[in-house]
């Protein structure tokens, strides 16, 4: 392999791939980056086997080839150098890197040991609007569970039908559901659980300029291609493994018989609940919401800390009502809501609080049975 | 022969040949047996067979091809669907975080191939919380997963984990297997390989361990001292035994075990002398020491030898009961007289 490429581009690629590559692994070869040189392009590949990413950059390729190099060292060389161009030559598993003032000989690993990287099949792929997907990820992923004992809940449920995309995140105490109209050519409805890692990475990669992204779904993995466009000259390809397991039937959980409804202005509500949560502690996270005629009151009280009472005006003229819940669950969702208004729906003290934005976003919180 | 790369262990190999033939692989196994008899190797070979790229769907499994990328990755423990956890050299236990990592990895569907195999070597050193965390995984494992716990102390496995695994017992290896292994791999000559096979207690690992600690050379020294004429050599023998024990006192088993090993070498030798007395030369292990055997045989009576063997056994027993090893050695050597 013999290549010359722009250092800035290589470093940019590095910054995207680096977070994926594990610093410690039971399979040491994964701590490396794989570089493949083909005509006029080099491919940079990194994976931790859960997710993987392939990044392309243009390069002057004098000799094609493949090399596996330790990520940390190569990254450090790129960081320290100020050159415009950088030269990499390989000889077996050894790379020789030339900069203006430096010459490095870095020992690599045998490419045979590196796990196969999947290929993206554009023919099987369907298109999804990039900004819509980004929003869907952002609005569901925060609700997933960090506990591995309920492993299906550590991921986001992805449902794809011919006319709709749906995503659901839940940790058992709350649930976020979003759907979007989107036509795609899928032979049948698809239902998979994707781990958050890959989705977070995708959310980060998608830029405002991106219009469409391509997706293929297989039994064991989700493959995504962010096509070239805007300032991006080459497509990025990433894959994510899928979680085995059954996602709980979320449709049954979303209540349809909530009889109390109130419309809420987002910014004011967010400020109020954050204030009410001030006196809660990690050990005792509970806030009471009291709805009376045209007033909404938050009340928190924690032993040894104190009390907080925050009022705001709302238009409400149904029966007075109160419910206790974990304020963090509402604060979390308010961070991802961009809309100026949403509605809250209730049935009784033991039924979930339902937050709705139009017909497409539903967020549920299970109430607490303690009193404050 | 499905398990062509595994030495001995025919019963386990037969069990798995049957299991695989009928497609009845369980989700979790416990490989239990003495140290160094090839349990881990067997587990890795099983993984290799299951992951080998040359296997054809629908037909019976074939031995691992050893050539395909999958086999090579498995041999180097770099295979993406083979995750091996073992006790780190400077650790005393397998930590809860290691088990959590396995739990996280096991729920991700395999990326290449159809199976994901997890081997936990030294499973006896998993911390209790680790075992408890494993329970959940063992109860409802994903269909593609196979978990193999490997241990030489099945009694140290949490009973609830134990009962959720299928137990496969591994027995000590036969002398023939050991002999040929020591001869071929450790480049020992036949009689030396034979002696090491006798002392290795059916374990290649133990045999190699002894060899790493210069054991065969030590045997030569001991027998040379034994052959020295005159009373002076006897104190030399005792010094030799103690010096070796002290040289290797930091090894796995400590001073006493080192002495016991040397007593066993001597006992094996005297046993050969006894065989000579009864004309059973064909059973003699120390074939390379014929001259010395004959010399001691002519100088002693069968009664003498029996008494010496008893002394050595009593010494071994005393050492196991924490007696002062120097005193035991000197006492034993003093009683090793025969005329």
């Amino acid at each position: 392999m013999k290549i010359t490429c722009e250092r800035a581009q290589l470093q940019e690629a590095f910054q995207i791939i680096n977070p994926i590559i594990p610093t410690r692994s039971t399979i040491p070869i994964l701590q490396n980056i794989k570089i493949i040189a083909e005509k006029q392009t080099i491919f940079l590949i990194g994976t931790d086997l859960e997710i993987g990413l392939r990044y392309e950059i243009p390069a002057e390729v004098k000799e094609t080839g493949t090399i596996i190099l330790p990520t940390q060292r190569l990254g450090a060389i790129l960081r320290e150098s100020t050159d415009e161009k950088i030269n990499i030559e390989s000889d077996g598993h050894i790379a020789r890197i030339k900069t203006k003032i430096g010459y490095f000989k870095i020992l690599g690993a045998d490419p045979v040991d590196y796990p196969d990287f999947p290929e993206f099949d554009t023919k099987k792929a369907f298109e999804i609007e990039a900004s819509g997907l980004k929003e869907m990820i952002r609005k569901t992923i925060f609700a997933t569970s960090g506990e591995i004992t309920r492993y299906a809940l550590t991921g986001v449920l992805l449902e794809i039908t011919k006319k709709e995309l749906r995503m659901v995140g839940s940790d058992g105490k709350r649930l976020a559901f979003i759907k979007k109209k989107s036509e795609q050519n899928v032979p049948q409805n698809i239902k998979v659980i994707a781990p958050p890692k890959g989705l977070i990475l995708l959310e980060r990669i998608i830029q405002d300029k991106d219009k469409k992204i391509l997706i293929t779904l297989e039994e064991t993995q989700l493959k995504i291609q962010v096509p070239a466009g805007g300032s991006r000259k080459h497509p990025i390809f990433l894959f994510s493994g899928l979680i085995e397991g059954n996602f709980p039937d979320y449709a049954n959980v979303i209540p349809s018989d909530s009889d109390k409804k109130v419309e809420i202005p987002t910014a004011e509500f967010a400020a109020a609940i954050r204030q009410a949560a001030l006196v809660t502690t990690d050990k005792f996270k509970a806030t009471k919401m009291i709805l009376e005629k045209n007033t909404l009151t938050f009340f928190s009280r924690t032993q040894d800390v104190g009390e907080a009472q925050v009022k705001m005006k709302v238009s409400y003229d149904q029966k007075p009502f109160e419910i206790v819940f974990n304020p963090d669950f509402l604060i979390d969702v308010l961070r991802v809501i961009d809309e100026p208004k949403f509605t809250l729906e209730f049935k009784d003290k033991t039924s979930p609080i339902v937050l709705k934005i139009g017909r497409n976003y539903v967020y549920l919180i299970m109430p607490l049975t303690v009193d404050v | 022969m499905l398990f062509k790369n595994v030495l001995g262990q025919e019963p386990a190999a037969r069990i798995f040949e049957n299991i695989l033939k009928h497609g009845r692989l369980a989700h979790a196994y416990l490989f239990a047996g003495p140290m160094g008899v090839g349990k881990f190797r067997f587990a890795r070979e099983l993984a290799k067979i299951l992951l080998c790229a040359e296997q054809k769907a629908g037909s019976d499994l074939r031995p691992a091809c050893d050539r395909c990328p999958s086999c090579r990755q498995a041999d180097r423990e770099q295979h993406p669907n083979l995750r091996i956890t073992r006790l780190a050299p400077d650790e005393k236990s397998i930590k809860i975080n290691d088990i959590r990592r396995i739990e996280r990895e096991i729920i991700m569907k395999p990326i290449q191939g159809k199976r994901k195999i997890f081997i936990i070597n030294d499973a006896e050193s998993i911390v209790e919380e680790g075992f408890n965390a494993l329970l959940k995984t063992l109860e409802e494992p994903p269909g593609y997963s196979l978990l193999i716990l490997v241990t030489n102390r099945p009694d140290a496995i949490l009973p609830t984990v134990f009962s959720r695994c299928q137990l496969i017992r591994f027995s000590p290896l036969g002398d023939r297997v050991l002999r040929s292994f020591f001869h071929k791999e450790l480049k020992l000559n036949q009689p030396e390989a034979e002696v090491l096979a006798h002392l290795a207690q059916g374990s290649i690992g133990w045999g190699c361990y002894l060899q790493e600690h210069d054991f065969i050379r030590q045997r030569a020294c001991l027998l040379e001292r034994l052959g020295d004429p005159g009373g002076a050599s006897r104190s030399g023998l005792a010094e030799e035994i103690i010096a070796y024990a002290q040289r290797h006192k930091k090894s796995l088993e400590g001073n006493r075990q080192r002495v016991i090993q040397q007593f066993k070498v001597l006992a094996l030798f005297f046993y050969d002398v006894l065989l000579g007395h009864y004309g059973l030369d064909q059973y003699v292990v120390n074939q390379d020491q014929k001259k010395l055997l004959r010399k001691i045989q002519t100088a002693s009576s069968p009664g003498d030898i029996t008494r010496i063997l008893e002394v050595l056994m009593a010494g071994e027993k005393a050492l196991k009961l924490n007696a002062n090893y120097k005193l035991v050695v000197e006492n034993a050597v003093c009683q090793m007289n025969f005329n």
Side-chain angles (χ1 to χ4, degrees), chain A residues 283-314:
Chain A
K283 274 191 188 146
F284 189 72
K285 276 261 177 241
T287 295
K288 196 191 309 194
M289 190 192 307
I290 306 157
L291 267 173
E292 286 150 331
K293 195 170 164 48
N294 293 337
T295 333
L296 189 156
T297 313
F298 290 113
F299 181 73
S300 313
R301 172 163 51 198
T302 311
Q303 219 178 2
D304 302 333
V305 180
E307 287 181 18
Q309 191 177 19
V310 186
K311 279 186 201 262
M312 64 182 281
K313 278 212 164 77
V314 290

Side-chain angles (χ1 to χ4, degrees), chain A residues 119-127 184-187 190 214-218 223:
Chain A
E119 281 299 321
F120 191 80
D121 187 354
T122 331
K123 279 180 212 136
K124 284 189 199 155
F126 50 87
E127 283 184 353
Q184 48 266 323
N185 183 19
V186 284
I190 303 170
L214 298 173
I215 290 187
T216 63
L217 256 173
E218 280 160 30
K223 295 178 188 169

Side-chain angles (χ1 to χ4, degrees), chain A residues 26-30 47-50 110 112-118 148-151 154 192 195 219-221 239-245, chain B residues 69 72-73 76-85 98-101 103-113 136 140-144:
Chain A
T26 42
I27 304 177
I29 194 153
L30 298 180
T47 180
D48 65 354
L49 297 178
E50 187 180 326
D110 188 347
V112 174
D113 288 338
Y114 202 83
D116 294 345
F117 202 78
I148 38 172
T149 45
R150 305 181 67 182
Y151 52 78
T154 58
V192 292
E219 204 181 319
T220 61
Q221 53 195 306
F239 79 83
S240 165
L242 296 173
I243 295 172
E244 160 78 21
Chain B
R72 288 169 61 185
Q73 285 176 344
R76 296 206 228 172
E77 302 182 1
Q78 304 262 26
H79 198 288
N81 289 347
L82 170 63
R83 307 296 177 89
I84 294 166
T85 307
D98 297 317
I99 303 298
R100 293 238 167 87
R101 186 174 41 72
E103 281 192 294
R104 258 197 308 279
E105 284 172 354
I106 210 166
I107 61 167
M108 298 294 300
K109 296 182 181 180
I111 286 182
Q112 35 174 285
K136 170 82 185 160
E140 35 184 22
Y144 48 75

Side-chain angles (χ1 to χ4, degrees), chain B residues 63-165:
Chain B
C65 70
D66 287 337
R67 287 184 311 270
C68 69
S70 177
C71 284
R72 288 169 61 185
Q73 285 176 344
D75 273 337
R76 296 206 228 172
E77 302 182 1
Q78 304 262 26
H79 198 288
N81 289 347
L82 170 63
R83 307 296 177 89
I84 294 166
T85 307
R86 49 160 71 85
L87 194 61
D90 43 357
E91 294 280 355
K92 286 206 171 74
S93 58
I94 293 178
K95 303 281 186 305
I96 178 83
N97 282 341
D98 297 317
I99 303 298
R100 293 238 167 87
R101 186 174 41 72
I102 293 175
E103 281 192 294
R104 258 197 308 279
E105 284 172 354
I106 210 166
I107 61 167
M108 298 294 300
K109 296 182 181 180
I111 286 182
Q112 35 174 285
K114 295 226 176 323
R115 278 194 181 280
K116 230 170 163 177
I117 298 161
F118 293 80
I119 301 177
I120 307 180
N121 202 12
D122 316 302
E124 69 280 355
S125 44
I126 299 174
V127 294
E128 197 178 329
E129 306 90 79
F131 276 125
N132 284 322
L134 260 187
L135 275 180
K136 170 82 185 160
T137 309
L138 285 170
E139 252 163 33
E140 35 184 22
Y144 48 75
S145 70
L146 171 66
L147 188 70
I148 305 173
L149 302 179
V150 179
T151 182
N152 51 28
R153 284 186 51 213
D155 57 301
I157 305 291
L158 198 74
T160 40
V161 168
F162 193 102
S163 67
R164 280 168 177 80
C165 301

Side-chain angles (χ1 to χ4, degrees), chain B residues 302-320:
Chain B
D304 289 334
I305 303 298
T306 322
R307 190 175 45 74
I308 291 173
L309 285 172
E310 273 166 10
V311 166
L312 286 170
M313 280 193 300
E316 196 180 319
K317 202 170 159 190
L319 286 166
K320 282 183 180 158

Side-chain angles (χ1 to χ4, degrees), chain A residues 27-268:
Chain A
I27 304 177
I29 194 153
L30 298 180
Q31 296 161 18
N32 295 289
I33 189 164
K34 183 175 182 178
I35 303 174
I36 305 170
E38 274 170 22
K39 40 186 181 188
Q40 304 315 312
T41 320
I42 57 172
F43 297 93
L44 298 151
I45 288 174
T47 180
D48 65 354
L49 297 178
E50 187 180 326
I51 56 174
L53 190 130
R54 190 178 66 197
Y55 198 95
E56 291 176 37
I57 58 171
E60 207 180 301
V61 179
K62 290 193 196 94
E63 222 180 279
T64 58
T66 303
I67 191 157
I68 310 273
L69 288 176
T71 322
Q72 305 280 333
R73 296 204 195 288
L74 194 55
I77 293 174
L78 292 176
R79 230 181 8 256
E80 296 299 331
S81 165
T82 51
D83 292 4
E84 241 173 54
K85 302 235 166 193
I86 200 157
N87 260 309
I88 304 177
E89 272 182 52
S90 77
D91 174 9
H93 305 159
I94 299 166
R96 292 169 215 280
I97 302 169
K98 260 184 244 161
T99 61
K100 243 182 223 145
I101 53 164
Y103 168 75
F104 307 90
K105 191 167 139 186
I106 306 277
L107 303 184
D110 188 347
V112 174
D113 288 338
Y114 202 83
D116 294 345
F117 202 78
E119 281 299 321
F120 191 80
D121 187 354
T122 331
K123 279 180 212 136
K124 284 189 199 155
F126 50 87
E127 283 184 353
I128 290 180
E129 193 213 338
S131 61
L133 185 68
K134 189 169 171 144
E135 185 198 346
M136 288 177 81
I137 295 172
R138 211 160 61 89
K139 283 191 172 163
T140 49
I141 205 153
F142 70 92
T144 55
S145 166
E147 271 176 58
I148 38 172
T149 45
R150 305 181 67 182
Y151 52 78
L153 292 183
T154 58
V156 173
L157 178 74
L158 193 60
E159 272 189 323
I160 301 170
T161 67
K162 281 197 166 76
K163 292 193 172 148
E164 229 173 38
L165 282 178
R166 293 182 215 125
M167 275 167 84
V168 186
S170 173
D171 65 359
K173 299 179 197 93
R174 56 170 163 182
L175 181 144
F177 165 87
I178 191 165
K179 64 178 181 189
K180 267 231 146 74
K181 279 220 165 61
S182 161
E183 294 212 351
Q184 48 266 323
N185 183 19
V186 284
Q188 74 230 28
N189 294 356
I190 303 170
K191 214 172 176 179
V192 292
I193 307 170
K197 226 175 178 180
L199 295 176
I200 290 171
L201 181 70
L202 178 63
E203 204 235 281
R204 231 183 52 217
I205 291 174
I206 297 178
Q207 294 166 354
D208 296 341
K209 282 170 254 160
D210 289 317
K211 296 248 151 43
K212 298 271 177 196
I213 64 162
L214 298 173
I215 290 187
T216 63
L217 256 173
E218 280 160 30
E219 204 181 319
T220 61
Q221 53 195 306
L222 170 69
K223 295 178 188 169
I224 298 158
Q225 195 183 60
V226 186
S231 61
R232 188 174 290 130
K233 292 204 178 60
H234 290 277
I236 298 178
F237 165 41
L238 77 132
F239 79 83
S240 165
L242 296 173
I243 295 172
E244 160 78 21
N246 289 323
F247 203 85
D249 184 9
Y250 66 89
N252 272 340
V253 188
I254 300 174
S256 53
D257 54 349
S258 305
D259 51 0
K260 300 171 191 69
K261 247 182 217 176
V262 56
E263 194 165 87
I264 305 272
T266 310
E268 232 177 293

